[in-house]
PDB file of all heavy atoms in Angstrom:
ATOM      1  N   ARG A   2      -2.636  64.451  24.111  1.00  0.00           N
ATOM      2  CA  ARG A   2      -2.144  63.578  23.059  1.00  0.00           C
ATOM      3  C   ARG A   2      -0.743  63.103  23.405  1.00  0.00           C
ATOM      4  O   ARG A   2      -0.048  63.679  24.236  1.00  0.00           O
ATOM      5  CB  ARG A   2      -2.098  64.323  21.717  1.00  0.00           C
ATOM      6  CG  ARG A   2      -3.458  64.715  21.178  1.00  0.00           C
ATOM      7  CD  ARG A   2      -4.154  63.542  20.558  1.00  0.00           C
ATOM      8  NE  ARG A   2      -5.407  63.943  19.936  1.00  0.00           N
ATOM      9  CZ  ARG A   2      -6.235  63.102  19.344  1.00  0.00           C
ATOM     10  NH1 ARG A   2      -5.956  61.827  19.306  1.00  0.00           N
ATOM     11  NH2 ARG A   2      -7.356  63.520  18.809  1.00  0.00           N
ATOM     12  N   SER A   3      -0.345  62.024  22.734  1.00  0.00           N
ATOM     13  CA  SER A   3       1.011  61.539  22.938  1.00  0.00           C
ATOM     14  C   SER A   3       2.013  62.521  22.341  1.00  0.00           C
ATOM     15  O   SER A   3       1.691  63.297  21.446  1.00  0.00           O
ATOM     16  CB  SER A   3       1.180  60.171  22.272  1.00  0.00           C
ATOM     17  OG  SER A   3       1.021  60.305  20.878  1.00  0.00           O
ATOM     18  N   LEU A   4       3.238  62.455  22.791  1.00  0.00           N
ATOM     19  CA  LEU A   4       4.287  63.324  22.269  1.00  0.00           C
ATOM     20  C   LEU A   4       4.862  62.709  20.987  1.00  0.00           C
ATOM     21  O   LEU A   4       6.046  62.414  20.873  1.00  0.00           O
ATOM     22  CB  LEU A   4       5.381  63.521  23.324  1.00  0.00           C
ATOM     23  CG  LEU A   4       4.908  64.239  24.587  1.00  0.00           C
ATOM     24  CD1 LEU A   4       6.042  64.330  25.594  1.00  0.00           C
ATOM     25  CD2 LEU A   4       4.374  65.615  24.256  1.00  0.00           C
ATOM     26  N   ASP A   5       3.984  62.489  20.065  1.00  0.00           N
ATOM     27  CA  ASP A   5       4.366  61.925  18.772  1.00  0.00           C
ATOM     28  C   ASP A   5       5.081  63.002  17.956  1.00  0.00           C
ATOM     29  O   ASP A   5       4.544  64.080  17.731  1.00  0.00           O
ATOM     30  CB  ASP A   5       3.100  61.458  18.038  1.00  0.00           C
ATOM     31  CG  ASP A   5       3.443  60.628  16.810  1.00  0.00           C
ATOM     32  OD1 ASP A   5       4.384  61.022  16.101  1.00  0.00           O
ATOM     33  OD2 ASP A   5       2.766  59.624  16.571  1.00  0.00           O
ATOM     34  N   LYS A   6       6.287  62.708  17.501  1.00  0.00           N
ATOM     35  CA  LYS A   6       7.061  63.712  16.768  1.00  0.00           C
ATOM     36  C   LYS A   6       6.367  64.140  15.483  1.00  0.00           C
ATOM     37  O   LYS A   6       6.499  65.263  15.028  1.00  0.00           O
ATOM     38  CB  LYS A   6       8.458  63.167  16.467  1.00  0.00           C
ATOM     39  CG  LYS A   6       9.318  62.997  17.712  1.00  0.00           C
ATOM     40  CD  LYS A   6      10.702  62.519  17.366  1.00  0.00           C
ATOM     41  CE  LYS A   6      11.562  62.370  18.621  1.00  0.00           C
ATOM     42  NZ  LYS A   6      12.921  61.884  18.292  1.00  0.00           N
ATOM     43  N   LYS A   7       5.607  63.205  14.894  1.00  0.00           N
ATOM     44  CA  LYS A   7       4.897  63.563  13.668  1.00  0.00           C
ATOM     45  C   LYS A   7       3.800  64.580  13.951  1.00  0.00           C
ATOM     46  O   LYS A   7       3.467  65.397  13.110  1.00  0.00           O
ATOM     47  CB  LYS A   7       4.292  62.307  13.040  1.00  0.00           C
ATOM     48  CG  LYS A   7       5.332  61.353  12.480  1.00  0.00           C
ATOM     49  CD  LYS A   7       4.646  60.158  11.810  1.00  0.00           C
ATOM     50  CE  LYS A   7       5.697  59.211  11.233  1.00  0.00           C
ATOM     51  NZ  LYS A   7       5.063  58.044  10.574  1.00  0.00           N
ATOM     52  N   LYS A   8       3.247  64.465  15.165  1.00  0.00           N
ATOM     53  CA  LYS A   8       2.160  65.382  15.509  1.00  0.00           C
ATOM     54  C   LYS A   8       2.690  66.649  16.158  1.00  0.00           C
ATOM     55  O   LYS A   8       2.042  67.683  16.138  1.00  0.00           O
ATOM     56  CB  LYS A   8       1.166  64.699  16.446  1.00  0.00           C
ATOM     57  CG  LYS A   8       0.347  63.623  15.730  1.00  0.00           C
ATOM     58  CD  LYS A   8      -0.801  63.175  16.577  1.00  0.00           C
ATOM     59  CE  LYS A   8      -1.693  62.219  15.804  1.00  0.00           C
ATOM     60  NZ  LYS A   8      -2.878  61.832  16.572  1.00  0.00           N
ATOM     61  N   MET A   9       3.864  66.566  16.779  1.00  0.00           N
ATOM     62  CA  MET A   9       4.452  67.757  17.406  1.00  0.00           C
ATOM     63  C   MET A   9       5.198  68.563  16.355  1.00  0.00           C
ATOM     64  O   MET A   9       6.421  68.676  16.362  1.00  0.00           O
ATOM     65  CB  MET A   9       5.388  67.364  18.548  1.00  0.00           C
ATOM     66  CG  MET A   9       4.656  66.823  19.769  1.00  0.00           C
ATOM     67  SD  MET A   9       5.790  66.545  21.118  1.00  0.00           S
ATOM     68  CE  MET A   9       6.378  68.193  21.438  1.00  0.00           C
ATOM     69  N   ASP A  10       4.459  69.091  15.447  1.00  0.00           N
ATOM     70  CA  ASP A  10       5.065  69.852  14.344  1.00  0.00           C
ATOM     71  C   ASP A  10       5.149  71.327  14.736  1.00  0.00           C
ATOM     72  O   ASP A  10       4.139  72.011  14.819  1.00  0.00           O
ATOM     73  CB  ASP A  10       4.191  69.670  13.093  1.00  0.00           C
ATOM     74  CG  ASP A  10       4.822  70.310  11.868  1.00  0.00           C
ATOM     75  OD1 ASP A  10       5.865  70.968  12.030  1.00  0.00           O
ATOM     76  OD2 ASP A  10       4.265  70.130  10.771  1.00  0.00           O
ATOM     77  N   PRO A  11       6.346  71.834  14.992  1.00  0.00           N
ATOM     78  CA  PRO A  11       6.474  73.236  15.410  1.00  0.00           C
ATOM     79  C   PRO A  11       6.219  74.204  14.273  1.00  0.00           C
ATOM     80  O   PRO A  11       6.053  75.397  14.497  1.00  0.00           O
ATOM     81  CB  PRO A  11       7.930  73.325  15.892  1.00  0.00           C
ATOM     82  CG  PRO A  11       8.648  72.268  15.114  1.00  0.00           C
ATOM     83  CD  PRO A  11       7.655  71.160  14.910  1.00  0.00           C
ATOM     84  N   ARG A  12       6.174  73.716  13.049  1.00  0.00           N
ATOM     85  CA  ARG A  12       5.986  74.611  11.913  1.00  0.00           C
ATOM     86  C   ARG A  12       4.496  74.870  11.704  1.00  0.00           C
ATOM     87  O   ARG A  12       3.891  74.440  10.728  1.00  0.00           O
ATOM     88  CB  ARG A  12       6.613  74.002  10.664  1.00  0.00           C
ATOM     89  CG  ARG A  12       8.127  73.833  10.758  1.00  0.00           C
ATOM     90  CD  ARG A  12       8.646  73.013   9.601  1.00  0.00           C
ATOM     91  NE  ARG A  12       8.058  71.673   9.612  1.00  0.00           N
ATOM     92  CZ  ARG A  12       8.159  70.824   8.576  1.00  0.00           C
ATOM     93  NH1 ARG A  12       8.809  71.189   7.484  1.00  0.00           N
ATOM     94  NH2 ARG A  12       7.605  69.630   8.656  1.00  0.00           N
ATOM     95  N   ALA A  13       3.906  75.530  12.676  1.00  0.00           N
ATOM     96  CA  ALA A  13       2.462  75.762  12.643  1.00  0.00           C
ATOM     97  C   ALA A  13       2.044  76.546  11.423  1.00  0.00           C
ATOM     98  O   ALA A  13       0.904  76.496  11.008  1.00  0.00           O
ATOM     99  CB  ALA A  13       2.021  76.490  13.913  1.00  0.00           C
ATOM    100  N   GLU A  14       3.025  77.261  10.810  1.00  0.00           N
ATOM    101  CA  GLU A  14       2.660  78.046   9.642  1.00  0.00           C
ATOM    102  C   GLU A  14       2.217  77.158   8.475  1.00  0.00           C
ATOM    103  O   GLU A  14       1.563  77.606   7.546  1.00  0.00           O
ATOM    104  CB  GLU A  14       3.835  78.940   9.194  1.00  0.00           C
ATOM    105  CG  GLU A  14       5.095  78.200   8.808  1.00  0.00           C
ATOM    106  CD  GLU A  14       6.008  77.939   9.999  1.00  0.00           C
ATOM    107  OE1 GLU A  14       5.559  78.136  11.150  1.00  0.00           O
ATOM    108  OE2 GLU A  14       7.169  77.575   9.776  1.00  0.00           O
ATOM    109  N   ASP A  15       2.577  75.846   8.542  1.00  0.00           N
ATOM    110  CA  ASP A  15       2.126  74.920   7.507  1.00  0.00           C
ATOM    111  C   ASP A  15       0.631  74.680   7.600  1.00  0.00           C
ATOM    112  O   ASP A  15       0.023  74.174   6.665  1.00  0.00           O
ATOM    113  CB  ASP A  15       2.867  73.582   7.616  1.00  0.00           C
ATOM    114  CG  ASP A  15       4.326  73.716   7.213  1.00  0.00           C
ATOM    115  OD1 ASP A  15       4.681  74.768   6.638  1.00  0.00           O
ATOM    116  OD2 ASP A  15       5.069  72.774   7.483  1.00  0.00           O
ATOM    117  N   HIS A  16       0.101  74.972   8.738  1.00  0.00           N
ATOM    118  CA  HIS A  16      -1.335  74.845   8.957  1.00  0.00           C
ATOM    119  C   HIS A  16      -1.881  76.271   8.983  1.00  0.00           C
ATOM    120  O   HIS A  16      -2.032  76.876  10.032  1.00  0.00           O
ATOM    121  CB  HIS A  16      -1.614  74.105  10.270  1.00  0.00           C
ATOM    122  CG  HIS A  16      -0.810  72.842  10.403  1.00  0.00           C
ATOM    123  ND1 HIS A  16      -1.128  71.679   9.735  1.00  0.00           N
ATOM    124  CD2 HIS A  16       0.315  72.568  11.103  1.00  0.00           C
ATOM    125  CE1 HIS A  16      -0.242  70.734  10.044  1.00  0.00           C
ATOM    126  NE2 HIS A  16       0.638  71.256  10.868  1.00  0.00           N
ATOM    127  N   GLY A  17      -2.146  76.795   7.821  1.00  0.00           N
ATOM    128  CA  GLY A  17      -2.410  78.206   7.639  1.00  0.00           C
ATOM    129  C   GLY A  17      -3.424  78.827   8.578  1.00  0.00           C
ATOM    130  O   GLY A  17      -3.339  80.016   8.882  1.00  0.00           O
ATOM    131  N   HIS A  18      -4.377  78.053   9.094  1.00  0.00           N
ATOM    132  CA  HIS A  18      -5.402  78.640   9.955  1.00  0.00           C
ATOM    133  C   HIS A  18      -5.056  78.520  11.431  1.00  0.00           C
ATOM    134  O   HIS A  18      -5.883  78.830  12.289  1.00  0.00           O
ATOM    135  CB  HIS A  18      -6.754  77.955   9.684  1.00  0.00           C
ATOM    136  CG  HIS A  18      -6.713  76.469   9.848  1.00  0.00           C
ATOM    137  ND1 HIS A  18      -6.419  75.612   8.813  1.00  0.00           N
ATOM    138  CD2 HIS A  18      -6.908  75.693  10.941  1.00  0.00           C
ATOM    139  CE1 HIS A  18      -6.453  74.366   9.251  1.00  0.00           C
ATOM    140  NE2 HIS A  18      -6.754  74.386  10.545  1.00  0.00           N
ATOM    141  N   ALA A  19      -3.859  78.016  11.775  1.00  0.00           N
ATOM    142  CA  ALA A  19      -3.516  77.754  13.170  1.00  0.00           C
ATOM    143  C   ALA A  19      -2.654  78.868  13.768  1.00  0.00           C
ATOM    144  O   ALA A  19      -2.001  79.644  13.056  1.00  0.00           O
ATOM    145  CB  ALA A  19      -2.788  76.427  13.281  1.00  0.00           C
ATOM    146  N   LEU A  20      -2.659  78.943  15.089  1.00  0.00           N
ATOM    147  CA  LEU A  20      -1.720  79.811  15.796  1.00  0.00           C
ATOM    148  C   LEU A  20      -0.316  79.269  15.613  1.00  0.00           C
ATOM    149  O   LEU A  20      -0.120  78.078  15.310  1.00  0.00           O
ATOM    150  CB  LEU A  20      -2.069  79.871  17.286  1.00  0.00           C
ATOM    151  CG  LEU A  20      -3.407  80.534  17.659  1.00  0.00           C
ATOM    152  CD1 LEU A  20      -3.685  80.335  19.145  1.00  0.00           C
ATOM    153  CD2 LEU A  20      -3.396  82.022  17.306  1.00  0.00           C
ATOM    154  N   THR A  21       0.671  80.101  15.839  1.00  0.00           N
ATOM    155  CA  THR A  21       2.059  79.677  15.632  1.00  0.00           C
ATOM    156  C   THR A  21       2.753  79.432  16.973  1.00  0.00           C
ATOM    157  O   THR A  21       2.297  79.863  18.025  1.00  0.00           O
ATOM    158  CB  THR A  21       2.833  80.754  14.845  1.00  0.00           C
ATOM    159  OG1 THR A  21       2.789  81.982  15.565  1.00  0.00           O
ATOM    160  CG2 THR A  21       2.223  80.952  13.458  1.00  0.00           C
ATOM    161  N   THR A  22       3.855  78.708  16.880  1.00  0.00           N
ATOM    162  CA  THR A  22       4.639  78.404  18.072  1.00  0.00           C
ATOM    163  C   THR A  22       5.070  79.694  18.763  1.00  0.00           C
ATOM    164  O   THR A  22       5.536  80.649  18.110  1.00  0.00           O
ATOM    165  CB  THR A  22       5.886  77.587  17.695  1.00  0.00           C
ATOM    166  OG1 THR A  22       5.478  76.375  17.076  1.00  0.00           O
ATOM    167  CG2 THR A  22       6.727  77.273  18.925  1.00  0.00           C
ATOM    168  N   GLY A  23       4.890  79.728  20.081  1.00  0.00           N
ATOM    169  CA  GLY A  23       5.273  80.896  20.865  1.00  0.00           C
ATOM    170  C   GLY A  23       4.143  81.876  21.092  1.00  0.00           C
ATOM    171  O   GLY A  23       4.265  82.772  21.947  1.00  0.00           O
ATOM    172  N   ASP A  24       3.043  81.732  20.378  1.00  0.00           N
ATOM    173  CA  ASP A  24       1.897  82.608  20.628  1.00  0.00           C
ATOM    174  C   ASP A  24       1.393  82.391  22.051  1.00  0.00           C
ATOM    175  O   ASP A  24       1.360  81.258  22.558  1.00  0.00           O
ATOM    176  CB  ASP A  24       0.761  82.314  19.634  1.00  0.00           C
ATOM    177  CG  ASP A  24       1.042  82.905  18.254  1.00  0.00           C
ATOM    178  OD1 ASP A  24       1.918  83.778  18.161  1.00  0.00           O
ATOM    179  OD2 ASP A  24       0.376  82.488  17.288  1.00  0.00           O
ATOM    180  N   LYS A  25       1.000  83.495  22.677  1.00  0.00           N
ATOM    181  CA  LYS A  25       0.561  83.420  24.067  1.00  0.00           C
ATOM    182  C   LYS A  25      -0.940  83.730  24.174  1.00  0.00           C
ATOM    183  O   LYS A  25      -1.481  84.504  23.363  1.00  0.00           O
ATOM    184  CB  LYS A  25       1.351  84.379  24.938  1.00  0.00           C
ATOM    185  CG  LYS A  25       2.831  84.035  25.001  1.00  0.00           C
ATOM    186  CD  LYS A  25       3.576  84.931  25.962  1.00  0.00           C
ATOM    187  CE  LYS A  25       5.060  84.597  25.998  1.00  0.00           C
ATOM    188  NZ  LYS A  25       5.331  83.202  26.449  1.00  0.00           N
TER     189      LYS A  25
END
Side-chain angles (χ1 to χ4, degrees):
R2 294 282 185 182
S3 64
L4 296 177
D5 191 318
K6 292 183 179 179
K7 291 183 179 180
K8 289 192 174 184
M9 289 186 63
D10 186 355
R12 296 170 299 168
E14 60 272 12
D15 290 348
H16 312 283
H18 56 270
L20 294 172
T21 58
T22 300
D24 283 343
K25 296 185 181 299

